[in-house]
Amino acid sequence: MTVAYRESKANYSGIKPDIYEIIDLETVERDLYNILSDSKGCVREMCSHIMSAGGKRIRPLLVMCCGLVFSPQSPELVHAASAAELIHMASLVHDDIIDESCMRRSRPSINKLWGNHFAVLCGDYLFAKAFGILAQDRLLKSMSYMVEAVQSMCRGEISQAHDRHSTRVNMKRYYERISEKTAIFLKCCCMSGAAAAGADIRSLEAVGEYGLNLGLAFQIVDDILDFCGNADIMGKPKGEDLCQGNITIPIVLLQKNHKYAEWINGVIQGRAYPENVMDEVLKALEDSGAIADSFRAAGRHISKAKTSLKALPASKYTELLFRLTDIVKSRIK
Amino acid sequence: MTVAYRESKANYSGIKPDIYEIIDLETVERDLYNILSDSKGCVREMCSHIMSAGGKRIRPLLVMCCGLVFSPQSPELVHAASAAELIHMASLVHDDIIDESCMRRSRPSINKLWGNHFAVLCGDYLFAKAFGILAQDRLLKSMSYMVEAVQSMCRGEISQAHDRHSTRVNMKRYYERISEKTAIFLKCCCMSGAAAAGADIRSLEAVGEYGLNLGLAFQIVDDILDFCGNADIMGKPKGEDLCQGNITIPIVLLQKNHKYAEWINGVIQGRAYPENVMDEVLKALEDSGAIADSFRAAGRHISKAKTSLKALPASKYTELLFRLTDIVKSRIK
C-alpha cells in the first residue's frame, strides 16, 4: 500500500515532495493500514483497493500540520489525521454511487467493481472506523469537528443536486454550497488537529478561519480550472461542470453581466448543448472578465487564509501552512 | 411526528402498551425530533418522512431499560437511546438502497421517493447525527458500542450478499451472519444504555450477553416466521428469504437431513422456482422437524438471555427485560 502512496505523491501537481518530508505522512499511511487491517473478506479487498489508489492526503496533511504548530507529534494526532482521511475516503465511495462514476483516482471505482450494494456498506464501514478511532483516543473535539464535516458535506451534495441546471444560483448560494461541500471539511481538519494538540480557543478559531478560506480558494480555483485548465491534466473535458448543470462562480459572474445574462441562462437550462457552445461560453467568460473576477475572489480567500496564520505561533509548520496557500494559488497560473 | 409514533406503537404486535408506560419513550421521541430539527430543505423532509413512519423503537427501548436498571433517567441516557435509533434509521435507509426496496414501514422508501442519490446522503447524515449527539455528551463507551454495531452490520450485510444462493451456509456461518446483522446491534444497545448509566464491567457483560441472545432469538424467530408466519401479518409471501437466496436456520437444518439434502440444495441453487416448490419446502421443513428444531434453537437463546439477567440488580426494569424475552418467544406461538 505504501508504495502506491509514494507513487501517487509524486504525481500530485503542486505539492512539493519536501512538504512530505516536513510532515510525517508515512506514519499516517501506516496507521491507516493498521486501522483497516482487521477488516475481512470483501470489506478488506475494498479497503485495500481504496488505500492502494493513493491520493493527495491533503486532509491528514492539514490535521498534522495544524497540530504540530502546537505540540510535537503524538499517536493521537496521527489518529486524528487518519480519521479525517477515512471520512474523506468514505465520502468519495458514496459520491461515486451518487454520481454513478466508474473511475476514481485513475482506477475503477468501488461501485464499478463491487456494485452499489457493497459500495454503500464500504462507505458506512469507513465512517464507523473513523469515529471508532476518535472514540478510542477520547478525541471528543476532533470527533465533533468530523461530525460537522460529514453533515456539512451531505448538505452541500444535496444543495448541489437541487441546484442542477438552475439559473437561480447566486453568489450567496454558490458560497454556501462550496463551504458545505469542501471548505468546512478543511476547516474541521485544521481544527481537529489543533484540538488534538491542545490548542487554545483563539488558536482553534484562527486555524479554522485558515482552513475555511483555503478550502474556498481551493474550490474556486477548481471551478475556474474546469473551464480553462488543461483538459489532459484535469482528466475531464472543459466545461464539464456546466454540462452537468453544476453552476460555479465563473457562470454566476457571467449571469450578472447584462450582455450575456439571457444567453447564459438559456445555456444553463438546456440539457443538450449545440455544438461549439462550450467554446462560446469560454470566450464569454474571458471577454466579460468573469474568469479574471473569479481569480480575484480566490485571491481574496488566499489573503484571508494568510492573515489568519498571523495569530499562530511562528514555526516551520505555520510556515508550511503559509506555503500551502501559495500552492493553491499557483494552480491558476 | 409524535402522533404517528403513537399510532405505530399500537400496531406493533407483541410489545404491550404498558411497556411504553414503564419506559418513557415519548421523551426519546421528542429528543429525536429535536436532534433532527436543525436539518433543512430536502434533508429535513427526508428526516420527517422517516420519523413519521414510526417504528417499534426496540433499540431505544433496550438502551433506556438497560440504563434504568442502574440509574434514574438522565438526558445522557435519552441521548444514547436516540443515537441508537438514528443509527438504526440510517441503516434502514441504506438497506433499502441495497435491496432496491420501494416500501418501508408501509410507506414508500426514501430511495423510492428521493432516489438513491439522496438516500445515500440521508443515511450518512443520520449516522453523523448519531455520533454527534454521543460526542456532545462525552458518551465515549456508548460511542464505541455504536461503532461496533455499525461495523458489524456492514460485515453481516456483506456476508449475506456473498452467501446468496450458496449451499455452503452451515450453522456456524448462519450464526455469524445473524450475530453481525442483528444481534450485535441489540447487544451494543444494551451495553450503551448500561454504560451511560455508569454500570460496572460485570453488569455490562451481563446486559451484553442478554442483548446478544435476545437478538439471536429474535432473528431466528423472524427466520422461522418467514416460512410459517401469517403472510398478511409478515407483509411478504411465505419463503421470501429462500426465494431471494437468503439461507436461514430452517433450511440449514433441512440440509443436514440426508432424505432432503440433495433436493433442497437444488432448490437453493435454482434462481427460478417451479410452481408449488415453496409448498413442498414448507412440508419438508415441517416433516423433517427442521421448524421444530429451529424453535428449540430460539428457545435456547431465550433461556440464555434470561440467565444473564440474574447478574443484574432486581428492579422493575430487570423484570421488563425478562418480559421482552417472552414477547420474542410468543411470536412463534
Side-chain angles (χ1 to χ4, degrees):
Chain A
M1 288 190 181
T2 329
V3 175
Y5 160 66
R6 282 204 195 100
E7 282 167 6
S8 75
K9 276 194 320 192
N11 290 336
Y12 179 58
S13 61
I15 293 197
K16 305 292 185 297
D18 70 318
I19 288 184
Y20 293 100
E21 275 156 31
I22 300 170
I23 304 293
D24 179 16
L25 282 184
E26 293 286 347
T27 302
V28 177
E29 204 70 11
R30 275 195 299 276
D31 191 48
L32 280 168
Y33 181 83
N34 283 340
I35 293 166
L36 297 176
S37 65
D38 71 346
S39 57
K40 289 176 199 160
C42 181
V43 181
R44 192 182 182 88
E45 288 166 32
M46 289 190 282
C47 291
S48 197
H49 179 81
I50 295 165
M51 280 294 290
S52 64
K56 299 186 278 280
R57 308 287 192 247
I58 196 87
R59 287 156 193 83
L61 181 68
L62 287 174
V63 174
M64 293 289 283
C65 203
C66 288
L68 292 166
V69 169
F70 303 98
S71 292
Q73 187 167 318
S74 67
E76 290 75 19
L77 182 61
V78 172
H79 283 163
S82 297
E85 187 65 13
L86 288 169
I87 286 171
H88 178 55
M89 286 173 174
S91 72
L92 293 183
V93 172
H94 282 179
D95 276 359
D96 287 341
I97 301 169
I98 291 167
D99 300 337
E100 298 172 8
S101 304
C102 295
M103 298 296 283
R104 165 68 65 186
R105 291 172 177 166
S106 309
R107 296 160 134 236
S109 60
I110 294 285
N111 46 313
K112 174 73 182 168
L113 287 176
W114 282 275
N116 281 355
H117 185 141
F118 286 174
V120 170
L121 295 167
C122 179
D124 292 351
Y125 186 84
L126 293 169
F127 275 130
K129 274 284 175 197
F131 289 116
I133 205 77
L134 296 173
Q136 184 189 301
D137 277 7
R138 313 179 73 85
L139 293 167
L140 282 163
K141 280 191 188 167
S142 294
M143 184 163 308
S144 296
Y145 294 130
M146 291 299 112
V147 165
E148 185 186 342
V150 174
Q151 287 181 18
S152 177
M153 283 192 288
C154 292
R155 285 196 205 101
E157 282 287 344
I158 289 173
S159 296
Q160 179 166 317
H162 256 296
D163 287 347
R164 231 172 260 283
H165 296 286
S166 162
T167 55
R168 285 165 309 171
V169 180
N170 56 19
M171 206 55 105
K172 182 170 170 283
R173 197 150 172 89
Y174 168 75
Y175 265 101
E176 213 170 69
R177 190 220 302 155
I178 66 167
S179 297
E180 287 177 339
K181 262 196 67 185
T182 311
I184 289 175
F185 194 0
L186 298 198
K187 177 190 99 173
C188 290
C189 286
C190 293
M191 295 179 88
S192 168
D200 59 49
I201 291 179
R202 208 175 136 254
S203 301
L204 277 176
E205 281 172 5
V207 295
E209 193 66 16
Y210 165 82
L212 185 75
N213 281 291
L214 183 79
L216 292 171
F218 187 87
Q219 190 59 56
I220 291 171
V221 168
D222 221 52
D223 292 342
I224 297 170
L225 288 175
D226 180 65
F227 288 107
C228 51
N230 182 317
D232 292 335
I233 294 175
M234 298 298 287
K236 56 183 185 176
K238 285 189 182 186
E240 179 78 354
D241 283 338
L242 183 60
C243 285
Q244 294 183 348
N246 180 14
I247 311 309
T248 58
I249 188 168
I251 299 295
V252 175
L253 289 168
L254 192 62
Q255 279 179 305
K256 287 185 175 180
N257 187 315
H258 293 301
K259 188 176 161 194
Y260 298 98
E262 201 180 329
W263 169 74
I264 195 66
N265 281 339
V267 175
I268 289 169
Q269 288 171 315
R271 278 160 204 257
Y273 297 104
E275 215 179 334
N276 297 331
V277 75
M278 204 48 76
D279 291 339
E280 287 171 41
V281 170
L282 293 177
K283 191 170 180 312
L285 289 172
E286 288 288 358
D287 293 352
S288 67
I291 293 287
D293 286 347
S294 302
F295 277 147
R296 272 188 284 274
R300 282 195 294 275
H301 293 292
I302 294 286
S303 301
K304 279 189 191 174
K306 285 181 175 172
T307 304
S308 311
L309 295 177
K310 289 181 184 161
L312 303 188
S315 78
K316 64 175 173 176
Y317 304 109
T318 310
E319 176 60 27
L320 188 67
L321 291 170
F322 197 89
R323 278 178 57 202
L324 282 174
T325 64
D326 285 329
I327 289 169
V328 170
K329 212 171 167 184
S330 69
R331 291 176 74 209
I332 51 183
K333 273 176 195 159
Chain B
M1 286 189 181
T2 327
V3 175
Y5 160 66
R6 282 204 194 100
E7 283 166 5
S8 74
K9 275 195 320 191
N11 290 336
Y12 178 57
S13 61
I15 294 197
K16 307 290 186 299
D18 69 315
I19 288 184
Y20 293 101
E21 275 155 32
I22 299 169
I23 304 293
D24 179 15
L25 283 184
E26 292 286 347
T27 300
V28 177
E29 205 68 12
R30 275 195 299 278
D31 192 47
L32 281 167
Y33 181 83
N34 283 340
I35 292 166
L36 297 175
S37 64
D38 71 346
S39 56
K40 288 176 199 161
C42 182
V43 181
R44 193 184 181 87
E45 288 166 32
M46 289 189 282
C47 291
S48 197
H49 180 81
I50 295 165
M51 280 294 290
S52 63
K56 300 186 277 282
R57 308 289 192 246
I58 196 86
R59 288 157 193 82
L61 181 68
L62 287 174
V63 175
M64 293 289 283
C65 203
C66 288
L68 292 166
V69 170
F70 303 98
S71 292
Q73 187 167 317
S74 68
E76 289 76 20
L77 181 61
V78 173
H79 283 162
S82 297
E85 186 64 15
L86 288 169
I87 286 171
H88 178 56
M89 287 174 174
S91 73
L92 294 183
V93 172
H94 281 180
D95 277 358
D96 286 342
I97 301 169
I98 292 167
D99 301 337
E100 297 173 9
S101 305
C102 296
M103 298 296 283
R104 167 67 64 184
R105 291 173 177 166
S106 310
R107 297 161 136 234
S109 60
I110 294 285
N111 45 314
K112 174 74 182 166
L113 287 176
W114 281 275
N116 281 354
H117 185 142
F118 285 174
V120 170
L121 296 167
C122 179
D124 292 351
Y125 186 84
L126 293 169
F127 275 129
K129 274 284 175 197
F131 289 117
I133 205 78
L134 295 172
Q136 185 190 301
D137 277 7
R138 313 179 73 86
L139 292 167
L140 281 164
K141 281 190 185 166
S142 295
M143 184 164 307
S144 296
Y145 294 130
M146 291 300 112
V147 165
E148 186 188 342
V150 175
Q151 287 180 18
S152 178
M153 282 191 289
C154 292
R155 284 196 206 102
E157 281 287 344
I158 288 173
S159 296
Q160 179 165 317
H162 257 296
D163 287 347
R164 229 172 261 284
H165 297 286
S166 163
T167 56
R168 285 165 308 170
V169 180
N170 56 18
M171 206 56 104
K172 180 171 171 282
R173 198 152 171 87
Y174 169 75
Y175 265 102
E176 213 171 70
R177 190 219 302 153
I178 66 167
S179 297
E180 287 176 340
K181 262 196 67 186
T182 311
I184 289 175
F185 194 0
L186 298 199
K187 177 190 100 172
C188 290
C189 286
C190 293
M191 294 179 89
S192 168
D200 58 50
I201 290 178
R202 207 173 137 256
S203 303
L204 276 176
E205 281 172 5
V207 296
E209 193 66 16
Y210 165 82
L212 185 75
N213 281 291
L214 184 79
L216 292 172
F218 187 88
Q219 189 59 56
I220 290 171
V221 168
D222 221 54
D223 292 341
I224 297 170
L225 288 175
D226 181 65
F227 288 108
C228 51
N230 181 318
D232 291 336
I233 293 175
M234 296 299 287
K236 56 182 185 176
K238 284 187 183 188
E240 178 78 354
D241 283 339
L242 182 60
C243 285
Q244 293 183 351
N246 181 13
I247 312 308
T248 59
I249 188 167
I251 299 295
V252 175
L253 289 169
L254 192 62
Q255 280 179 304
K256 287 184 175 180
N257 186 314
H258 292 303
K259 188 176 161 195
Y260 299 98
E262 199 181 322
W263 169 74
I264 194 68
N265 280 339
V267 175
I268 290 169
Q269 287 172 316
R271 279 158 203 260
Y273 297 104
E275 215 178 334
N276 296 332
V277 75
M278 204 47 75
D279 291 339
E280 288 171 39
V281 170
L282 293 177
K283 192 172 179 311
L285 289 173
E286 289 287 357
D287 293 351
S288 66
I291 292 289
D293 286 346
S294 302
F295 277 146
R296 272 188 284 274
R300 282 195 293 275
H301 293 292
I302 294 286
S303 300
K304 279 190 192 174
K306 285 181 175 171
T307 305
S308 312
L309 294 178
K310 289 181 184 160
L312 303 188
S315 79
K316 65 174 173 178
Y317 304 109
T318 310
E319 176 59 27
L320 188 65
L321 292 170
F322 198 90
R323 278 179 58 203
L324 282 174
T325 65
D326 287 327
I327 289 169
V328 170
K329 211 171 168 184
S330 70
R331 292 176 73 209
I332 52 183
K333 274 175 193 158

